[in-house]
């Protein structure tokens, strides 16, 4: 029985929005499937790993019968991707099998009953809700997400702290060696609240955020958080844990302060990094009145040296860092000029945007 | 051949360096350690502070409770290393057989050395005088035919003193030595020995090797030798420290995981203090050791770059799960990186 007829992109685009979270191997086989549902003209797609769930709808009304089924997310996605753009696709369902036809191609897929598909049910009461342009949240996340820990045993670091406080929202990420902080204003006055968004949720959300003025609405639902953007809704559990107090590690008395042009600094570090030790990634910075030198040495005793002219007339300092931590912040801040502030060789350095309290990057040195 | 071993131990080394550089601190209770509000630990304190009951490895908060006027200064490893290198330079004028135990402690084998007519006693006196004059701190020394007795002896007339145990004095000295002074015999073993009627090494020497091994396992063999003042370990100049660890045998077994976890923080504090004393070497892994009520033991380890409570707690949980029975001993330790000079990323948070 024919159940759906649509152009390839009307199916592929919403499908791709939800399949990013589908795990390849799961103890529950049905979780490698995507739930496809048609009600009236609307076709919706839903995927979940039981921690995070995304559902979205096709942008336009589509012809066909009402139906609900689940089938392999990966196979459906791979098939649609491989079909030429603008091709008309039909779906037929018979005896628990799904047949996809496109031009002279034909695919017969297994399905599992839609009623067996597990859902995350959203909590009802929202503690706080606010909206902001997608572009703004996207830029905010971009400034901090690279500092999240990856599979750290301190599980609460494998995510992003989202704090609301009056009209301020703040995002903080740290892996225990460096910390990124970004804040923004929203129109709604919000209660004091904080949640840790899981790393996977943050990465998925970032992919879905458009560089546009269209709004995203965020609802804090206790143990869950919901993001609504266009036809897409993400429901995610939050990390149950205590995020470290970031205020404690913001250095306040770093006195060796100067401004630096981001692009030349980044390029110099990228060149020096070629000869940084593959394992430890150490870089030595030597700060002197008027100049900043960058030195890298690898295990074969090869050396790279760069020198930048800077407007600085304070004391000298030699300090080591993991060069990746410096490259990360410089790559992810789309600005011309940054401010650096150092204390001594054993204390954290602070990277900020001149005259802007809404961004901070704190990085601990490496003893080299 | 009878050996001549000197054990030199600088008196409250870090605090001594600080007092040398800040003479005003000589007359007040002083400690080198971490901040009390950041779960800091005392690494060393001067003798005035010790009169108030301040001890190494005690939490800084606890130390301030015992001695409110205690001045706690953060350590400056660079200066301590420099002083330590100066001291080692002095040793080198007497022998090349030097085995450093930490920045402030070393064994010297001066057997057959020609200086000062070959007298180890005179060499130790001259070494201590030169440390005082050239480095500006004091040291104590023990002179004996082996490492075990030299170490006991250096502690005897501390601070700024020395004790010689000549080969002919060994038997009498050891006989009167309380078993608690034996290196490696802690409070729990002392209690066990005492309960068996063993108070001194003379008592211990009356036990047969077989009986000691039955009571104490492999350590019984070592006790048997030490009770006679025997210790043939050589002074090993190339000995590289591969790990640093601390452990505790509990008077009553810890009944469950929760009790074990509760004992972690004090163990970690002691481990941190030991690491500071060892000159903060680069860490490449963490180890947790558990000995269960039935004396089986297990160790769990994981690579890591620093001492972190959360990681050690996970290792402890994993180790406990292997047996899930009461625990008589817990140990925590670090594996050290092969070279002392490996780069090391500093942590942003002290206590995660």
């Amino acid at each position: 029985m024919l159940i759906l007829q649509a152009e390839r992109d009307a199916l592929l685009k919403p499908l791709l929005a939800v399949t990013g979270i589908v795990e390849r191997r799961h103890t529950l086989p049905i979780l490698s499937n995507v739930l496809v549902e048609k009600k009236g003209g609307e076709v919706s797609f839903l995927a979940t790993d039981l921690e995070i769930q995304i559902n979205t709808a096709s942008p336009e009304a589509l012809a066909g019968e009402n139906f609900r089924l689940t089938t392999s997310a990966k196979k459906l996605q791979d098939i649609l991707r491989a079909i030429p753009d603008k091709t008309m696709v039909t779906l037929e369902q018979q005896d628990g099998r799904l047949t996809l036809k496109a031009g002279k191609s034909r695919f017969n897929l297994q399905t599992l009953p839609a009623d067996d598909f597990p859902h995350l049910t959203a909590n009802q009461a929202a503690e706080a809700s606010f909206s902001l342009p997608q572009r703004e949240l996207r830029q905010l996340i971009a400034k901090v997400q690279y500092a999240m820990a990856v599979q750290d045993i301190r599980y609460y670091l494998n995510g992003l702290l989202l704090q609301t406080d009056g009209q301020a929202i703040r995002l903080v990420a740290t892996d225990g060696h460096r910390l990124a902080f970004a804040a923004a204003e929203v129109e709604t006055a919000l209660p004091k609240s904080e949640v840790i968004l899981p790393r996977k949720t943050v990465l998925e959300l970032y992919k879905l955020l458009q560089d546009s003025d269209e709004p995203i609405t965020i609802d804090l639902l206790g143990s869950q958080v919901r993001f609504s953007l266009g036809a897409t809704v993400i429901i995610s559990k939050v990390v149950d844990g205590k995020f470290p107090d970031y205020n404690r590690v913001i250095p306040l008395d770093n006195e060796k302060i100067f401004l630096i042009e981001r692009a030349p600094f980044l390029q110099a570090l990228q060149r020096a990094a070629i000869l940084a030790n593959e394992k430890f990634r150490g870089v030595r910075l030597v700060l002197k009145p008027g100049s900043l030198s960058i030195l890298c040495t690898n295990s074969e005793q090869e050396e790279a040296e760069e020198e930048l002219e800077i407007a600085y007339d304070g004391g000298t300092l030699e300090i080591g860092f993991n060069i990746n931590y410096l490259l990360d912040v410089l790559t992810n801040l789309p600005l011309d000029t940054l401010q650096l502030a150092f204390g001594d060789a054993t204390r954290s350095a602070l990277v900020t945007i001149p005259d802007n309290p809404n961004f901070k990057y704190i990085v601990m040195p490496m003893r080299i | 051949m009878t050996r001549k071993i000197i054990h030199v131990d600088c008196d409250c080394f870090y605090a001594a360096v600080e007092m040398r550089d800040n003479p005003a601190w000589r007359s007040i209770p002083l400690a080198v350690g971490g901040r009390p509000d950041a779960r800091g630990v005392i690494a060393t304190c001067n003798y005035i502070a010790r009169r108030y009951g301040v001890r190494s490895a005690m939490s800084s908060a606890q130390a301030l409770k015992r001695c409110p006027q205690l001045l706690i200064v953060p350590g400056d490893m660079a200066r301590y290393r420099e002083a330590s290198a100066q001291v080692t330079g002095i040793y080198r004028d007497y022998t090349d057989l030097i085995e450093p135990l930490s920045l402030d402690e070393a064994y010297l084998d001066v057997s057959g050395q020609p200086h000062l007519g070959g007298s180890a006693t005179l060499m130790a006196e001259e070494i201590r005088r030169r440390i005082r004059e050239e480095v500006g701190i004091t040291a104590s020394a023990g002179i004996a035919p082996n490492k075990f007795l030299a170490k006991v002896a250096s502690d005897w007339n501390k601070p700024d003193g020395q004790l010689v145990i000549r080969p002919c004095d060994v038997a009498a000295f050891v006989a009167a030595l309380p078993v608690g002074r034996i290196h490696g015999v802690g409070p729990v073993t002392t209690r066990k020995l005492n309960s068996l009627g063993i108070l001194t090494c003379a008592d211990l020497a009356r036990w047969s090797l077989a009986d000691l091994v039955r009571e104490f396992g492999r350590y019984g063999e070592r006790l048997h030798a030490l009770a006679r003042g025997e210790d043939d370990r050589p002074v090993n100049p190339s000995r590289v420290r591969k790990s640093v660890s601390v452990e505790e045998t509990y008077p009553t077994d810890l009944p469950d995981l929760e009790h074990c976890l509760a004992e972690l923080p004090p163990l970690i504090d002691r481990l941190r203090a030991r690491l500071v004393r060892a000159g903060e070497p680069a860490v490449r892994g963490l180890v947790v050791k558990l000995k269960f009520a039935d004396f089986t033991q297990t160790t769990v380890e994981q690579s890591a770059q620093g001492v972190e409570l959360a990681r050690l707690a996970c290792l402890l949980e994993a180790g406990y799960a292997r047996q899930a029975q009461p625990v008589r001993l817990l140990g925590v330790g670090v594996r050290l990186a092969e070279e002392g000079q490996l780069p090391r990323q500093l942590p942003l948070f002290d206590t995660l």
Side-chain angles (χ1 to χ4, degrees):
Chain A
M1 182 175 77
L2 180 85
I3 51 172
L4 183 65
Q5 190 161 30
E7 232 177 50
R8 180 197 80 149
D9 280 4
L11 299 178
L12 182 57
K13 284 215 173 110
L15 180 67
L16 289 178
V18 306
T19 49
I21 58 166
V22 175
E23 299 281 352
R24 289 280 171 82
R25 291 173 184 279
H26 210 290
T27 43
L28 266 183
I30 200 168
L31 290 178
S32 57
N33 283 7
V34 57
L35 174 69
V36 190
E37 185 167 7
K38 183 163 181 304
K39 237 188 218 164
E42 185 185 86
V43 178
S44 62
F45 297 83
L46 184 148
T48 182
D49 67 359
L50 298 180
E51 296 290 317
I52 167 172
Q53 170 173 304
I54 307 184
N55 74 299
T56 191
S58 61
E60 58 210 90
L62 299 174
E65 303 293 319
N66 284 354
F67 68 90
R68 290 175 81 219
L69 61 86
T70 78
T71 192
S72 163
K74 168 137 180 35
K75 288 173 195 154
L76 186 59
Q77 168 191 316
D78 288 352
I79 291 166
L80 288 173
R81 265 201 180 135
I83 289 170
D85 195 10
K86 310 265 186 211
T87 312
M88 197 52 100
V89 175
T90 62
L91 296 184
E92 290 170 21
Q93 190 180 22
Q94 191 133 40
D95 303 329
R97 308 285 289 189
L98 177 69
T99 306
L100 186 153
K101 291 182 188 163
K104 304 245 181 246
S105 310
R106 182 176 166 281
F107 304 87
N108 188 256
L109 295 164
Q110 281 186 1
T111 66
L112 286 168
D115 288 341
D116 295 348
F117 198 77
H119 283 256
L120 273 184
T121 322
N123 295 342
Q124 287 308 308
E127 289 167 7
S129 294
F130 57 96
S131 300
L132 69 167
Q134 290 190 29
R135 175 184 296 124
E136 203 176 314
L137 185 61
R138 188 180 157 81
Q139 289 170 354
L140 212 52
I141 292 176
K143 284 179 188 164
V144 297
Q145 62 164 349
Y146 53 86
M148 291 190 288
V150 184
Q151 293 188 331
D152 197 292
I153 197 153
R154 298 161 293 182
Y155 59 94
Y156 46 85
L157 298 186
N158 302 324
L160 184 61
L161 178 75
L162 166 63
Q163 260 188 350
T164 61
D165 183 1
Q167 275 173 285
I169 62 165
R170 302 184 195 110
L171 297 182
V172 187
T174 180
D175 60 6
H177 296 149
R178 36 68 183 272
L179 178 147
F181 164 100
E185 295 261 301
V186 290
E187 285 170 6
T188 336
L190 297 167
K192 262 195 179 175
S193 176
E194 62 176 54
V195 293
I196 304 171
L197 308 175
R199 178 184 171 84
K200 186 174 174 183
T201 304
V202 174
L203 299 180
E204 211 54 42
L205 172 65
Y206 185 73
K207 277 197 271 176
L208 294 174
L209 285 166
Q210 303 286 323
D211 190 14
S212 82
D213 291 324
E214 292 297 311
I216 172 165
T217 300
I218 301 168
D219 303 303
L220 304 186
L221 308 168
S223 62
Q224 296 173 337
V225 59
R226 179 169 56 209
F227 302 94
S228 312
L229 53 168
T232 305
V233 177
I234 305 172
I235 299 171
S236 169
K237 290 188 182 166
V238 301
V239 177
D240 183 15
K242 179 86 186 89
F243 202 81
D245 177 10
Y246 61 87
N247 283 309
R248 202 155 58 85
V249 299
I250 298 174
L252 301 173
D253 47 2
N254 282 1
E255 283 167 347
K256 298 182 171 67
I257 301 175
F258 57 94
L259 298 179
I260 194 160
E261 296 302 309
R262 183 183 70 102
F265 186 26
L266 174 59
Q267 287 152 11
L269 282 171
Q270 282 167 333
R271 287 189 296 266
I274 298 166
L275 296 187
N277 182 299
E278 298 77 5
K279 189 168 166 207
F280 299 106
R281 306 301 293 159
V283 61
R284 248 184 265 264
L285 301 185
V286 181
L287 182 60
K288 286 189 191 132
S291 82
L292 177 69
S293 306
I294 299 165
L295 305 155
C296 278
T297 319
N298 64 14
S299 51
E300 282 111 31
Q301 311 306 323
E302 296 168 312
E303 291 172 11
E305 184 171 351
E306 295 273 344
E307 188 172 334
L308 296 166
E309 284 185 19
I310 51 169
Y312 173 72
D313 57 4
T316 59
L317 172 70
E318 183 171 342
I319 185 169
F321 288 104
N322 180 327
I323 198 165
N324 293 352
Y325 296 164
L326 301 182
L327 292 170
D328 275 348
V329 66
L330 294 170
T331 313
N332 286 291
L333 273 191
L335 291 155
D336 292 338
T337 308
L338 299 176
Q339 176 175 300
L340 304 187
F342 295 95
D344 62 34
T346 61
R347 288 191 293 153
S348 59
L350 177 65
V351 181
T352 50
I353 301 168
D355 305 316
N356 181 342
N358 287 333
F359 176 79
K360 289 180 177 69
Y361 183 72
I362 297 136
V363 56
M364 278 304 284
M366 176 183 262
R367 285 204 184 140
I368 302 179
Chain B
M1 188 193 93
T2 309
R3 293 182 298 159
K4 293 178 179 173
I5 311 291
I6 306 177
H7 177 254
V8 188
D9 191 357
C10 299
D11 304 317
C12 59
F13 180 57
Y14 297 172
V17 173
E18 294 298 339
M19 291 192 291
R20 175 195 71 184
D21 297 346
N22 305 275
W25 293 349
R26 287 181 195 278
S27 53
I28 59 167
L30 173 75
V32 175
R35 295 201 338 241
D37 54 339
R39 292 183 46 82
V41 178
I42 301 294
T44 325
C45 60
N46 68 6
Y47 283 88
I48 303 178
R50 287 182 202 191
R51 287 210 291 271
Y52 290 90
V54 178
R55 295 284 179 269
S56 306
M58 178 179 274
S59 76
S60 298
Q62 169 75 9
L64 280 173
K65 223 174 270 172
R66 295 200 176 179
C67 179
Q69 68 274 43
L70 180 68
L71 173 66
I72 303 180
V73 298
D76 178 355
M77 281 323 235
R79 268 191 298 140
Y80 307 154
R81 283 209 185 88
E82 192 191 329
S84 177
Q86 255 180 302
V87 171
T88 308
I90 295 172
Y91 300 155
R92 288 210 188 289
D93 290 344
Y94 301 87
T95 177
D96 287 327
L97 280 179
I98 302 165
E99 179 180 329
L101 297 176
S102 60
L103 287 184
D104 57 346
E105 220 185 312
Y107 289 114
L108 283 57
D109 186 337
V110 295
S111 318
Q113 296 293 338
H115 318 279
L116 303 166
S119 162
T121 310
L122 294 180
M123 282 188 249
E125 267 171 12
E126 189 168 290
I127 286 170
R128 289 177 42 241
R129 181 176 56 75
R130 289 184 57 192
I131 292 175
R132 189 166 51 239
E133 289 171 1
E134 295 172 26
V135 190
I137 61 175
T138 64
S140 299
I143 304 98
N146 61 46
K147 284 162 79 170
F148 158 53
L149 291 172
K151 181 148 179 141
V152 173
S154 72
D155 204 33
W156 214 260
N157 290 321
K158 221 170 173 14
D160 198 16
Q162 69 181 49
L163 177 74
V164 186
I165 304 173
R166 289 174 298 172
C168 58
D169 300 334
V170 168
F173 180 84
V174 171
L177 190 69
V179 286
R181 302 286 295 244
I182 300 176
H183 188 63
V185 174
V188 171
T189 312
T190 304
R191 217 169 303 141
K192 179 164 177 190
L193 286 164
N194 291 351
S195 74
L196 294 168
I198 303 172
L199 302 178
T200 64
C201 286
D203 301 331
L204 189 58
R206 279 191 279 275
W207 281 58
S208 72
L209 179 59
D211 289 342
L212 283 174
V213 169
R214 193 189 61 234
E215 288 292 335
F216 298 97
R218 271 188 56 200
Y219 190 59
E221 274 180 61
R222 180 135 176 83
L223 283 175
H224 188 260
L226 295 180
R228 288 157 182 74
E230 294 165 8
D231 176 18
D232 55 8
R233 292 173 302 160
V235 170
N236 184 353
S238 62
R239 196 178 83 117
V240 182
R241 212 183 241 280
K242 292 195 171 120
S243 64
V244 174
S245 60
V246 297
E247 58 184 48
E248 178 87 33
T249 307
Y250 297 96
T252 52
D253 292 352
L254 305 172
D256 53 27
L257 179 61
E258 200 182 323
H259 282 81
C260 291
L261 287 169
E263 293 297 334
L264 263 190
L267 275 176
I268 291 172
D269 289 347
R270 276 174 52 202
L271 177 62
R272 287 212 169 102
R274 283 284 295 274
L275 283 169
V276 170
R277 291 181 66 83
E280 297 189 64
V283 170
R284 67 173 173 83
L286 294 174
V287 191
V288 169
K289 170 172 150 187
L290 297 99
K291 196 182 267 182
F292 296 99
D294 63 359
F295 284 84
T296 59
Q297 77 174 44
T298 187
T299 59
V300 201
E301 50 182 299
Q302 187 193 37
S303 62
Q305 261 133 44
V307 179
E308 288 163 17
L309 173 62
R311 283 178 197 251
L312 285 164
C314 282
L315 293 179
L316 174 56
E317 281 179 40
Y320 183 81
R322 290 177 186 171
Q323 292 273 344
Q325 53 161 311
V327 171
R328 55 179 278 111
L329 173 147
L330 277 182
V332 295
V334 295
R335 299 261 181 245
L336 301 181
E338 288 85 14
E339 299 167 48
Q341 296 301 315
L342 290 183
R344 187 160 62 91
Q345 172 67 46
L346 302 179
L348 199 49
F349 304 93
D350 303 334
T351 52
L352 277 187

